Short mmCIF file of all heavy atoms in Angstrom, two decimals:
data_model
loop_
_atom_site.label_atom_id
_atom_site.label_comp_id
_atom_site.label_asym_id
_atom_site.label_seq_id
_atom_site.Cartn_x
_atom_site.Cartn_y
_atom_site.Cartn_z
N PRO F 221 135.17 23.81 151.56
CA PRO F 221 136.09 24.37 152.56
C PRO F 221 135.67 25.74 153.08
O PRO F 221 135.87 26.05 154.27
CB PRO F 221 137.43 24.45 151.82
CG PRO F 221 137.32 23.46 150.72
CD PRO F 221 135.87 23.44 150.33
N ASP F 222 135.08 26.58 152.23
CA ASP F 222 134.63 27.89 152.69
C ASP F 222 133.49 27.76 153.69
O ASP F 222 133.44 28.48 154.69
CB ASP F 222 134.17 28.75 151.51
CG ASP F 222 135.33 29.14 150.59
OD1 ASP F 222 136.48 29.23 151.08
OD2 ASP F 222 135.08 29.33 149.40
N HIS F 223 132.56 26.84 153.43
CA HIS F 223 131.47 26.60 154.37
C HIS F 223 132.00 26.04 155.68
O HIS F 223 131.50 26.38 156.76
CB HIS F 223 130.43 25.65 153.78
CG HIS F 223 129.65 26.25 152.66
ND1 HIS F 223 128.85 25.49 151.84
CD2 HIS F 223 129.55 27.52 152.20
CE1 HIS F 223 128.28 26.28 150.93
NE2 HIS F 223 128.71 27.51 151.13
N MET F 224 133.01 25.17 155.60
CA MET F 224 133.62 24.62 156.82
C MET F 224 134.16 25.73 157.70
O MET F 224 133.95 25.74 158.92
CB MET F 224 134.74 23.64 156.48
CG MET F 224 134.27 22.32 155.96
SD MET F 224 135.70 21.28 155.62
CE MET F 224 135.01 20.21 154.37
N ALA F 225 134.86 26.68 157.08
CA ALA F 225 135.43 27.80 157.83
C ALA F 225 134.32 28.65 158.43
O ALA F 225 134.38 29.03 159.61
CB ALA F 225 136.32 28.64 156.93
N ASP F 226 133.29 28.94 157.64
CA ASP F 226 132.15 29.72 158.16
C ASP F 226 131.46 28.99 159.29
O ASP F 226 131.08 29.60 160.30
CB ASP F 226 131.13 30.00 157.04
CG ASP F 226 131.58 31.07 156.08
OD1 ASP F 226 132.52 31.83 156.42
OD2 ASP F 226 130.99 31.15 154.98
N ASN F 227 131.27 27.68 159.13
CA ASN F 227 130.57 26.89 160.16
C ASN F 227 131.30 26.90 161.49
O ASN F 227 130.68 26.73 162.54
CB ASN F 227 130.38 25.46 159.68
CG ASN F 227 129.38 25.33 158.56
OD1 ASN F 227 128.65 26.26 158.24
ND2 ASN F 227 129.35 24.16 157.93
N ALA F 228 132.60 27.08 161.46
CA ALA F 228 133.39 27.11 162.69
C ALA F 228 133.39 28.48 163.35
O ALA F 228 133.77 28.62 164.52
CB ALA F 228 134.82 26.67 162.41
N ASN F 229 132.95 29.49 162.64
CA ASN F 229 132.97 30.86 163.14
C ASN F 229 131.63 31.20 163.81
O ASN F 229 130.81 31.92 163.25
CB ASN F 229 133.28 31.82 161.99
CG ASN F 229 133.52 33.23 162.46
OD1 ASN F 229 133.68 33.47 163.66
ND2 ASN F 229 133.51 34.16 161.54
N VAL F 230 131.44 30.67 164.99
CA VAL F 230 130.17 30.86 165.71
C VAL F 230 130.41 31.46 167.09
O VAL F 230 129.75 31.10 168.07
CB VAL F 230 129.37 29.54 165.79
CG1 VAL F 230 128.86 29.14 164.42
CG2 VAL F 230 130.19 28.42 166.41
N ASP F 231 131.33 32.40 167.15
CA ASP F 231 131.69 33.04 168.41
C ASP F 231 130.79 34.25 168.67
O ASP F 231 131.23 35.39 168.64
CB ASP F 231 133.16 33.47 168.39
CG ASP F 231 133.65 33.91 169.75
OD1 ASP F 231 133.04 33.52 170.75
OD2 ASP F 231 134.64 34.67 169.80
N PHE F 232 129.51 33.96 168.85
CA PHE F 232 128.54 34.98 169.21
C PHE F 232 127.51 34.30 170.10
O PHE F 232 127.52 33.07 170.26
CB PHE F 232 127.88 35.60 167.96
CG PHE F 232 127.06 34.65 167.14
CD1 PHE F 232 125.69 34.59 167.28
CD2 PHE F 232 127.67 33.81 166.22
CE1 PHE F 232 124.94 33.70 166.53
CE2 PHE F 232 126.93 32.92 165.45
CZ PHE F 232 125.55 32.88 165.60
N VAL F 233 126.65 35.08 170.72
CA VAL F 233 125.64 34.53 171.63
C VAL F 233 124.26 34.97 171.17
O VAL F 233 124.02 36.15 170.94
CB VAL F 233 125.90 34.99 173.09
CG1 VAL F 233 124.80 34.49 174.01
CG2 VAL F 233 127.27 34.51 173.55
N ILE F 234 123.37 34.00 171.06
CA ILE F 234 121.98 34.29 170.73
C ILE F 234 121.28 34.65 172.04
O ILE F 234 121.42 33.95 173.05
CB ILE F 234 121.30 33.06 170.09
CG1 ILE F 234 122.04 32.65 168.81
CG2 ILE F 234 119.84 33.35 169.78
CD1 ILE F 234 121.62 31.30 168.24
N SER F 235 120.53 35.73 172.05
CA SER F 235 119.85 36.17 173.27
C SER F 235 118.84 35.12 173.73
O SER F 235 118.36 34.30 172.94
CB SER F 235 119.13 37.50 173.03
OG SER F 235 117.96 37.28 172.24
N ASP F 236 118.52 35.16 175.02
CA ASP F 236 117.53 34.22 175.58
C ASP F 236 116.19 34.35 174.86
O ASP F 236 115.55 33.34 174.56
CB ASP F 236 117.34 34.46 177.07
CG ASP F 236 118.56 34.07 177.90
OD1 ASP F 236 119.43 33.32 177.38
OD2 ASP F 236 118.66 34.52 179.05
N ALA F 237 115.78 35.57 174.58
CA ALA F 237 114.49 35.78 173.90
C ALA F 237 114.51 35.18 172.50
O ALA F 237 113.54 34.53 172.08
CB ALA F 237 114.17 37.28 173.83
N ASP F 238 115.61 35.36 171.78
CA ASP F 238 115.70 34.79 170.45
C ASP F 238 115.82 33.26 170.50
O ASP F 238 115.27 32.57 169.63
CB ASP F 238 116.87 35.39 169.67
CG ASP F 238 116.60 36.82 169.23
OD1 ASP F 238 115.43 37.24 169.21
OD2 ASP F 238 117.58 37.53 168.92
N MET F 239 116.49 32.73 171.51
CA MET F 239 116.53 31.27 171.66
C MET F 239 115.12 30.72 171.86
O MET F 239 114.75 29.70 171.27
CB MET F 239 117.42 30.86 172.85
CG MET F 239 118.91 30.95 172.57
SD MET F 239 119.52 29.78 171.32
CE MET F 239 119.38 28.22 172.18
N GLU F 240 114.33 31.40 172.67
CA GLU F 240 112.93 30.98 172.88
C GLU F 240 112.16 30.98 171.56
O GLU F 240 111.42 30.04 171.26
CB GLU F 240 112.23 31.90 173.87
CG GLU F 240 112.39 31.53 175.31
CD GLU F 240 111.86 30.16 175.66
OE1 GLU F 240 110.71 29.82 175.31
OE2 GLU F 240 112.61 29.40 176.30
N THR F 241 112.35 32.03 170.78
CA THR F 241 111.68 32.12 169.48
C THR F 241 112.10 30.95 168.59
O THR F 241 111.25 30.29 167.97
CB THR F 241 112.03 33.45 168.79
OG1 THR F 241 111.54 34.52 169.59
CG2 THR F 241 111.42 33.53 167.40
N LEU F 242 113.39 30.68 168.54
CA LEU F 242 113.90 29.60 167.69
C LEU F 242 113.44 28.23 168.17
O LEU F 242 113.14 27.34 167.37
CB LEU F 242 115.43 29.66 167.62
CG LEU F 242 116.01 30.91 166.96
CD1 LEU F 242 117.52 30.95 167.12
CD2 LEU F 242 115.62 30.99 165.49
N MET F 243 113.37 28.04 169.48
CA MET F 243 112.93 26.75 170.04
C MET F 243 111.50 26.42 169.65
O MET F 243 111.14 25.25 169.57
CB MET F 243 113.03 26.77 171.57
CG MET F 243 114.39 26.49 172.10
SD MET F 243 114.34 26.40 173.90
CE MET F 243 115.52 27.64 174.30
N HIS F 244 110.70 27.43 169.46
CA HIS F 244 109.27 27.22 169.21
C HIS F 244 108.86 27.58 167.78
O HIS F 244 107.69 27.80 167.51
CB HIS F 244 108.46 27.99 170.25
CG HIS F 244 108.75 27.51 171.63
ND1 HIS F 244 109.62 28.16 172.47
CD2 HIS F 244 108.34 26.41 172.29
CE1 HIS F 244 109.71 27.50 173.60
NE2 HIS F 244 108.95 26.43 173.52
N MET F 245 109.84 27.63 166.89
CA MET F 245 109.55 27.94 165.50
C MET F 245 108.76 26.79 164.86
O MET F 245 108.92 25.64 165.24
CB MET F 245 110.85 28.17 164.75
CG MET F 245 110.67 28.76 163.38
SD MET F 245 112.24 29.37 162.73
CE MET F 245 112.38 30.91 163.63
N GLU F 246 107.93 27.14 163.90
CA GLU F 246 107.11 26.14 163.22
C GLU F 246 107.99 25.04 162.63
O GLU F 246 109.03 25.30 162.04
CB GLU F 246 106.29 26.81 162.11
CG GLU F 246 105.35 25.86 161.42
CD GLU F 246 104.50 26.55 160.36
OE1 GLU F 246 104.41 27.79 160.39
OE2 GLU F 246 103.94 25.83 159.53
N HIS F 247 107.53 23.80 162.80
CA HIS F 247 108.27 22.63 162.34
C HIS F 247 108.42 22.63 160.82
O HIS F 247 107.46 22.91 160.10
CB HIS F 247 107.56 21.36 162.79
CG HIS F 247 108.31 20.11 162.50
ND1 HIS F 247 109.45 19.76 163.19
CD2 HIS F 247 108.10 19.14 161.60
CE1 HIS F 247 109.90 18.61 162.71
NE2 HIS F 247 109.10 18.21 161.75
N ILE F 248 109.60 22.32 160.34
CA ILE F 248 109.82 22.15 158.90
C ILE F 248 109.18 20.83 158.50
O ILE F 248 109.55 19.77 159.00
CB ILE F 248 111.33 22.16 158.55
CG1 ILE F 248 111.92 23.54 158.83
CG2 ILE F 248 111.55 21.73 157.11
CD1 ILE F 248 113.42 23.63 158.67
N ALA F 249 108.21 20.91 157.63
CA ALA F 249 107.44 19.72 157.25
C ALA F 249 108.03 18.99 156.05
O ALA F 249 107.72 17.83 155.82
CB ALA F 249 105.99 20.11 156.96
#
């Protein structure tokens, strides 16, 4: 239940530059 509450608390914005970084992060093998 604590993780559920945390998972719902995503009221922030990731910057465009950071989104680009995350989009091209090395694949988890």
Side-chain angles (χ1 to χ4, degrees):
D222 292 332
H223 290 168
M224 286 180 206
D226 285 343
N227 290 348
N229 188 12
V230 291
D231 190 22
F232 64 98
V233 176
I234 301 169
S235 74
D236 291 343
D238 287 341
M239 283 294 290
E240 273 300 310
T241 298
L242 296 172
M243 278 185 237
H244 299 99
M245 191 166 282
E246 184 177 343
H247 186 72
I248 293 174

